Amino acid sequence: MRSTLSKIAAVVTAGALTLTLAACGGADSSAASKTLRVGTLSDAPPSIYLENGRFTGYDNELLRDIAKREGFEVEFVGTEFSGLLAGVATGKFDIGSSTISSTEARKKTVSFSNGYNTGFTTIVTEKGANLKDPAAFAGKRLGVVQGSVQDEFAGKTNGAQVVRFPDYNAGFAQLKNGTLDGWVVPQDIGQKYLDQNPAVPLELGYTVEDKDTPSAFAVAKTDPDLLKKLNDGLAKAIADGTVARIYGQFYKTTPLSKELQQGGPGLPVKNLGA
């Protein structure tokens, strides 16, 4: 009987050990890096674009670096800009990465990380169109990406007819076809297009600085932990010069803001209610 009881005890002990190990394995699994869905665009180099089936650009490569530092992984999903922030707010995307200007209006929908870039808005036109001043926009057809800062800018221009598109490629195509007088875009995107299409007779017209609204990653207002991770990772990437290195890979002629250079203070964004 004692031998039988000893065998039973051994079996019970072994079973308990197996359950303990299994539980430990489960804990390790749950602690593994989480994959977050990132909404982005595919046609706006050098910031955000698709190359050989891979989403890349300054914004997305910087986000990959931050994710690695902060212990999560990212899965990029192409989308239209007009629905991006709503997708972040409702949980369709965990992060929005698309040179998103952190405007006060947008802060009502989502929270923003600290800024990782500043920029300018410009108008791409046919050479000689002379759209160098807002006074010349009256009666002109100006194309924009729907829901963008450029959409807001063009909408405030007296007398211009604003034509909205879902993405950048569609607007550039219409400009080349002569159905638009101007295509309002971030300056870096406009200049990149000109560099890639030197035979197309286009030029940059009126240009204005986007002040006080740096580009930032968007997250849901209900996810302060993720917001903290993005800010922490960005601060580390600024401090060790990674931001400057990645920026230099994609922006060959535009200087990086001094706030984002190694050791710089960064570009803080104050969210509504924060």
Side-chain angles (χ1 to χ4, degrees):
M1 176 68 70
R2 181 175 298 172
S3 175
T4 301
L5 290 174
S6 297
K7 291 180 179 178
I8 293 173
V11 171
V12 170
T13 301
L17 179 60
T18 301
L19 289 173
T20 300
L21 291 174
C24 289
D28 289 343
S29 177
S30 63
S33 59
K34 181 180 179 182
T35 299
L36 303 183
R37 284 171 58 87
V38 181
T40 189
L41 274 66
S42 62
D43 62 346
S47 306
I48 37 175
Y49 61 100
L50 192 64
E51 183 175 66
N52 299 323
R54 183 178 188 273
F55 285 99
T56 186
Y58 168 62
D59 299 41
N60 291 339
E61 295 303 335
L62 176 58
L63 183 55
R64 282 190 173 97
D65 179 85
I66 292 172
K68 185 176 181 180
R69 293 173 188 268
E70 298 300 315
F72 61 89
E73 296 181 358
V74 287
E75 173 193 4
F76 291 94
V77 181
T79 187
E80 293 181 358
F81 189 86
S82 59
L84 177 55
L85 295 186
V88 172
T90 59
K92 180 179 179 181
F93 305 117
D94 298 293
I95 304 171
S97 173
S98 187
T99 315
I100 308 169
S101 296
S102 49
T103 66
E104 295 302 304
R106 290 172 176 172
K107 291 175 185 177
K108 297 176 182 178
T109 302
V110 297
S111 291
F112 285 103
S113 71
N114 288 331
Y116 57 80
N117 201 3
T118 58
F120 295 78
T121 286
T122 192
I123 299 179
V124 184
T125 70
E126 291 186 356
K127 288 186 176 180
N130 199 33
L131 294 185
K132 306 287 187 181
D133 186 280
F137 299 164
K140 303 297 184 182
R141 286 171 56 86
L142 302 182
V144 297
V145 169
Q146 184 175 354
S148 66
V149 168
Q150 290 72 39
D151 189 349
E152 296 176 20
F153 165 79
K156 296 176 182 177
T157 302
N158 293 332
Q161 180 182 350
V162 181
V163 185
R164 295 175 173 85
F165 296 91
D167 55 46
Y168 288 96
N169 283 338
F172 277 118
Q174 293 300 312
L175 182 63
K176 287 171 61 178
N177 292 338
T179 57
L180 291 176
D181 296 300
W183 178 223
V184 189
V185 296
Q187 184 185 37
D188 56 289
I189 294 174
Q191 186 61 59
K192 185 73 172 181
Y193 185 84
L194 297 187
D195 294 342
Q196 293 178 337
N197 299 273
V200 181
L202 299 175
E203 64 181 3
L204 301 185
Y206 179 74
T207 301
V208 60
E209 186 176 2
D210 301 328
K211 297 180 179 179
D212 303 322
T213 55
S215 298
F217 299 115
V219 301
K221 288 179 172 290
T222 55
D223 201 346
D225 291 339
L226 177 55
L227 184 64
K228 184 178 185 303
K229 285 181 180 291
L230 291 175
N231 284 338
D232 287 349
L234 177 59
K236 295 170 186 173
I238 294 171
D240 67 11
T242 299
V243 166
R245 176 181 59 79
I246 297 175
Y247 185 89
Q249 292 175 4
F250 294 96
Y251 296 87
K252 304 301 184 182
T253 59
T254 306
L256 178 65
S257 169
K258 63 181 181 180
E259 289 85 357
L260 296 171
Q261 295 174 16
Q262 186 169 2
L267 295 167
V269 170
K270 183 174 177 59
N271 291 290
L272 296 180

